[in-house]
Amino acid sequence: MPGSSNRDSGLSRLADPSLVLRNFQHDHGYAKAPAVVKDPGQKGISGQTANIIISSWRTSTQRQYSSYQRRWMEFCKSEGFSVFSPSIGNVLAFLTALIHTGLGYSALNSARSAISALILYDSRHTVGSNPLISRFMKGVFEIRPPQSRYTNIWDVSVVLQYLRTLHPLDALTLKDISHKLLMLIALVSAQRVQTIHMLDIRFLQETEHSYIFTIKGNIKQSKPGQKQRQVVLQHFPNDDKLSVFYVSKKYLEVTSKLRKTENALFISYVKPYHKVSKSTLARWLKQVMETAGINIDSFKAHSTRAASVSAAASTSLPIDVIIETAGWKSERTFAHYYNKPVVQATSSFATAVLTSKN
């Protein structure tokens, strides 16, 4: 057909992975061209299609992959390997080199996924699913098993005792009520800072004894076909001082005249009262923890999640309730990464010795 050779030429340019990769590096500052830019039949795909497929990688994943993709390209250049058509032995050599730099299983797994985004061997196997590489990764797991950040976790009751002192609500500054509400939401919902940051009063439903936020947008656990997650803030009848429902109601009342057109739940407690960042929320959590007496050199803001679910588990709450609330897929994630023994505020033995009569 007339002009078919020109169209084929255009498709070939789009199919050339090195050209696509350079374009993406130029546009975005890091490598993130997936294997789909070149299929086994050498048939190219359009740039628009490639962009849509690339959108399947979230920004955080793209940033994580970029470091390993750069290292892969540098390794290939130094060893004379093909970046896009390496042998399995080439890939194994790269992963082995990473082990010698001190990386563990989790980092190696990320590197494997990053390379898989660049290479497709056939219709059945990517780098990540190749049997030999899968066996290699099992060996890495045995040699350098993944380690969770914490071997134990702080006592939630210590922080709750501090939050009780932030009362009555009418006497609190906007800063104090902001901190109290944030920590209560983190503890009673077991959500990440990312999710709390997405709470929006436009998607808030109030009932007689609760506030229900519907999360609009993708969070870490979001999957295609999955219903939108909700964060439910229920009244705690046992102790009004710890009722996240009452604190939320007061916070919304206080901020209603300050937020103007701002719809994010959490706004700055100083002018111009704009939506705060995720890093600010994390800093607020650490400030509450430190004031309550938690060692923030050992525990970061994300530790509220482990502290919360560990406390819930200690009350014999059904595991399926914990998994559903926290948004995990399986009990394994909870058991390995989040269910931690609680660090006691004092040693019962030491207390007995120090309080004994001489």
Side-chain angles (χ1 to χ4, degrees), residues 13 23 31 37 41 46 60 92 94 124 132 149 156 159 166 204 210 215 225 228 242 249 282 290 302 314-315 352:
R13 284 197 302 274
N23 288 337
V37 300
S46 72
S60 57
L92 289 173
F94 173 66
R124 293 176 301 163
L132 189 57
R149 181 186 294 270
V156 167
V159 171
L166 299 179
L204 170 63
S210 69
I215 305 300
Q228 291 176 312
L242 295 179
K249 183 183 285 290
E290 183 176 33
H302 186 68
S314 70
T315 65

Side-chain angles (χ1 to χ4, degrees), residues 71-323:
R71 293 173 76 167
W72 165 245
M73 287 185 286
E74 291 168 359
F75 181 80
C76 288
K77 182 178 180 180
S78 65
E79 299 295 325
F81 299 155
S82 168
V83 172
F84 298 100
S85 302
S87 68
I88 293 299
N90 297 159
V91 176
L92 289 173
F94 173 66
L95 295 176
T96 301
L98 291 182
I99 289 181
H100 291 317
T101 66
L103 298 184
Y105 176 81
S106 296
L108 263 290
N109 211 24
S110 295
R112 176 180 67 166
S113 297
I115 298 174
S116 292
L118 293 174
I119 305 164
L120 182 66
Y121 284 112
D122 54 48
S123 60
R124 293 176 301 163
H125 294 305
T126 62
V127 167
S129 63
N130 179 272
L132 189 57
I133 292 180
S134 295
R135 178 58 59 183
F136 175 86
M137 291 303 299
K138 289 181 180 179
V140 175
F141 182 87
E142 295 298 329
I143 297 172
R144 298 201 182 152
Q147 300 293 327
S148 58
R149 181 186 294 270
Y150 306 114
T151 56
N152 50 38
I153 198 64
W154 46 272
D155 189 350
V156 167
S157 67
V158 174
V159 171
L160 294 180
Q161 187 58 43
Y162 165 67
L163 294 181
R164 287 189 181 94
T165 67
L166 299 179
H167 196 79
L169 297 179
D170 288 334
L172 298 182
T173 63
L174 179 56
K175 176 181 177 179
D176 284 339
I177 196 171
S178 299
H179 285 189
K180 180 170 184 174
L181 177 59
L182 175 61
M183 179 57 78
L184 283 175
I185 291 178
L187 293 178
V188 304
S189 70
Q191 296 300 315
R192 295 178 174 85
V193 168
Q194 176 210 17
T195 305
I196 298 175
H197 182 254
M198 295 175 69
L199 297 181
D200 190 310
I201 61 175
R202 291 174 297 178
F203 311 114
L204 170 63
Q205 176 188 355
E206 181 179 359
T207 69
E208 184 178 0
H209 296 296
S210 69
Y211 284 113
I212 304 172
F213 284 93
T214 298
I215 305 300
K216 299 290 185 179
N218 291 329
I219 57 177
K220 184 174 182 180
Q221 305 100 313
S222 297
K223 304 292 181 184
Q226 186 181 62
K227 66 178 182 180
Q228 291 176 312
R229 289 195 60 79
Q230 292 183 325
V231 174
V232 181
L233 309 178
Q234 292 182 316
H235 173 52
F236 182 51
N238 296 0
D239 190 343
D240 288 348
K241 294 179 181 179
L242 295 179
S243 173
V244 69
F245 175 67
Y246 282 169
V247 180
S248 297
K249 183 183 285 290
K250 186 62 178 179
Y251 180 80
L252 289 170
E253 175 189 322
V254 172
T255 59
S256 62
K257 297 179 180 179
L258 302 176
R259 59 177 62 249
K260 296 180 180 179
T261 60
E262 185 57 73
N263 295 309
L265 174 62
F266 284 103
I267 61 174
S268 174
Y269 41 73
V270 295
K271 292 181 179 180
Y273 306 113
H274 288 324
K275 175 182 179 179
V276 294
S277 65
K278 286 180 285 188
S279 60
T280 295
L281 292 180
R283 188 177 72 252
W284 289 1
L285 286 172
K286 289 178 65 176
Q287 288 174 352
V288 174
M289 291 163 58
E290 183 176 33
T291 304
I294 304 301
N295 183 357
I296 61 173
D297 290 331
S298 300
F299 299 108
K300 307 304 179 184
H302 186 68
S303 67
T304 55
R305 191 162 157 87
S308 174
V309 296
S310 296
S314 70
T315 65
S316 300
L317 186 69
I319 188 65
D320 59 328
V321 175
I322 296 175
I323 292 172

